[in-house]
Amino acid sequence: MSANFFGRELVREPRCPFCGNVIEPPKELPVKMPRDMPVGACPCGAVYACDVTGHNIGAAMIEALVFGCGMDWDLAWSLLPQEDYLENIVEHYDIVNHLIVPGGVYEGRRISGTLFFIRLQEDILEVTEEGIRKRIQKARPIEPKPTTERKSKPPLSKKQVEEFVRSYKPQPIIEASKTHHQTMNNLQRLLYSPDDRFRMRAAEILGMAASEVAEDNPEAVSRLLQRLFTSITDTAASSWGAFEAIAEIISRRADLFAGYIPQLFSFLADDTRQADCLKAVGTIAKSRPDILRRYTFYFIPFLQSPKASVRGYAAILLGNLGAKEAREDLKKLINDPNPIQIYDNGSLKEKTIGQVSHDIVKNME
């Protein structure tokens, strides 16, 4: 289908840039990916992700690549462009009508959507193609979000949010976050507090609030996670509390945001961030050991770190994973007198690495 006006093409059907076939509208996967972009697959083996804004091309590339790899992040990051896969971009995509609008304006709307295509090489496609087909069969068409209004209480002020965090009363903040996402921004501001217990309470409550918001608006939580990661990598910004907040969010909604875990792993190569990263991964492991268990042998060497905090949080992580293969290494830490901070349900306490290791080893017996 195409429409012309005085020889100028107004709209046309979206086609795969690799084979020329008309493609199906992108769909939403039942298991969310980091940016929650709809995806699709062409019979020729190409896959695509839709960035409705046209401003997140890099994220669309990652979505398409990970989807094409059967949601295997390790495989996706090991592939090289041109050598292992080809990529192409189709611009001016209107997701509402499933049309390409070369002029960029249709029915009074600006059309800036982009379809990012990935075509894996045949040897890789043979491994992933069946998984792609099954996921597309389970995907659902994109549905417009309901516009029904609901009455809500006035938003909490910054001071109210701070007072509820200080007194460890999360429920009013959680309720306010459902209708006023600015509440999460006010919580993020509190992550920079020099008060350790207060900062960790803010991170925990931010995770609680984000978990509720993600039910109706996972995109808002994805944007929050991106800001938190940016605060870690940006040398001009403070990363205080960012690791804890990321861990609290993912641990509560790993079904939606487990795709961000590889980004956490990247900080393990930085000596200055190893302890914070291991602590964050340990928090996720406490609620979802199943998605981290295969990395156990990667974490064991951190038990021998010269830094006490790294040894301590590596021990807690391995304990949360139930890693019996690390038992002998953990026994070597039973006499370690160095203290670490442990946060749990609003309380912050201090225990020696020896005490922590002793308890973990005992629980493994």
Side-chain angles (χ1 to χ4, degrees):
M1 183 197 93
S2 64
N4 293 272
F5 183 72
F6 290 109
R8 186 178 68 177
E9 188 178 39
L10 295 180
V11 297
R12 64 173 182 267
E13 292 176 307
R15 293 181 178 271
C16 173
F18 295 110
C19 70
N21 285 325
V22 175
I23 59 171
E24 294 290 324
K27 298 179 179 180
E28 293 180 339
L29 294 175
V31 176
K32 308 285 185 180
M33 293 197 290
R35 288 278 184 168
D36 194 29
M37 292 181 179
V39 295
C42 178
C44 75
V47 296
Y48 47 95
C50 175
D51 169 23
V52 295
T53 68
H55 300 306
N56 298 306
I57 304 299
M61 184 277 287
I62 294 173
E63 298 272 323
L65 182 59
V66 173
F67 175 58
C69 290
M71 312 302 285
D72 186 336
W73 282 81
D74 293 334
L75 173 60
W77 292 130
S78 69
L79 301 182
L80 298 174
Q82 304 306 317
E83 182 176 327
D84 297 312
Y85 63 87
L86 301 176
E87 54 188 46
N88 210 319
I89 296 174
V90 175
E91 298 180 323
H92 301 303
Y93 175 65
D94 177 12
I95 195 169
V96 175
N97 296 294
H98 188 49
L99 294 171
I100 301 299
V101 184
V105 178
Y106 188 64
E107 296 179 338
R109 294 178 292 110
R110 181 175 178 79
I111 307 301
S112 55
T114 299
L115 295 172
F116 199 105
F117 285 78
I118 293 284
R119 178 68 162 82
L120 297 173
Q121 297 295 359
E122 290 297 333
D123 57 333
I124 304 173
L125 189 58
E126 289 178 2
V127 178
T128 63
E129 192 169 22
E130 181 64 17
I132 294 171
R133 185 182 63 79
K134 289 181 178 179
R135 285 184 173 85
I136 282 294
Q137 288 177 345
K138 295 179 180 179
R140 59 181 182 271
I142 300 171
E143 297 180 359
K145 294 185 177 180
T147 57
T148 55
E149 296 183 359
R150 54 180 176 180
K151 294 181 180 180
S152 62
K153 297 179 180 179
L156 297 177
S157 67
K158 293 179 181 179
K159 186 176 181 180
Q160 286 176 311
V161 171
E162 184 174 342
E163 289 174 349
F164 283 133
V165 170
R166 197 171 300 281
S167 58
Y168 196 59
K169 295 178 180 177
Q171 199 56 41
I173 298 176
I174 295 170
E175 291 301 320
S177 298
K178 293 178 182 179
T179 50
H180 303 288
H181 296 167
Q182 178 65 30
T183 307
M184 293 197 299
N185 295 337
N186 291 336
L187 279 170
Q188 185 181 356
R189 180 179 60 87
L190 303 181
L191 298 178
Y192 308 128
S193 170
D195 183 327
D196 291 341
R197 187 180 69 167
F198 178 78
R199 185 175 66 249
M200 292 180 190
R201 283 182 173 181
E204 182 186 16
I205 295 173
L206 180 55
M208 296 176 183
S211 175
E212 292 293 331
V213 172
E215 284 293 330
D216 296 321
N217 194 344
E219 297 92 339
V221 180
S222 288
R223 290 192 295 270
L224 170 62
L225 283 167
Q226 288 296 328
R227 291 198 302 271
L228 291 169
F229 275 108
T230 299
S231 73
I232 296 173
T233 57
D234 186 355
T235 56
S238 171
S239 63
W240 278 11
F243 279 105
E244 288 97 334
I246 289 169
E248 292 289 349
I249 294 170
I250 296 176
S251 67
R252 285 176 166 79
R253 294 311 304 262
D255 58 324
L256 297 178
F257 307 116
Y260 283 101
I261 293 176
Q263 284 185 252
L264 270 179
F265 286 171
S266 67
F267 297 110
L268 288 173
D270 184 344
D271 290 344
T272 65
R273 293 187 169 107
Q274 280 177 354
D276 287 332
C277 186
L278 288 166
K279 183 180 177 182
V281 178
T283 298
I284 299 170
K286 187 175 181 179
S287 61
R288 288 298 303 272
D290 55 305
I291 60 178
L292 291 166
R293 193 69 177 82
R294 59 178 172 147
Y295 301 108
T296 297
F297 286 101
Y298 181 66
F299 301 130
I300 292 176
F302 290 106
L303 295 174
Q304 301 172 19
S305 171
K307 292 186 177 181
S309 56
V310 172
R311 296 195 303 273
Y313 292 123
I316 292 174
L317 165 56
L318 290 163
N320 288 340
L321 289 177
K324 293 185 178 181
E325 52 268 64
R327 188 183 330 185
E328 295 305 314
D329 295 276
L330 287 164
K331 285 181 179 179
K332 297 176 183 177
L333 299 179
I334 287 179
N335 295 318
D336 192 324
N338 291 284
I340 56 171
Q341 289 186 329
I342 299 175
Y343 175 84
D344 185 46
N345 292 324
S347 299
L348 187 64
K349 58 186 177 181
E350 199 172 83
K351 294 181 73 172
T352 68
I353 296 174
Q355 290 173 317
V356 170
S357 301
H358 175 272
D359 293 343
I360 292 172
V361 171
K362 186 176 180 179
N363 288 334
M364 288 180 176
E365 293 176 352

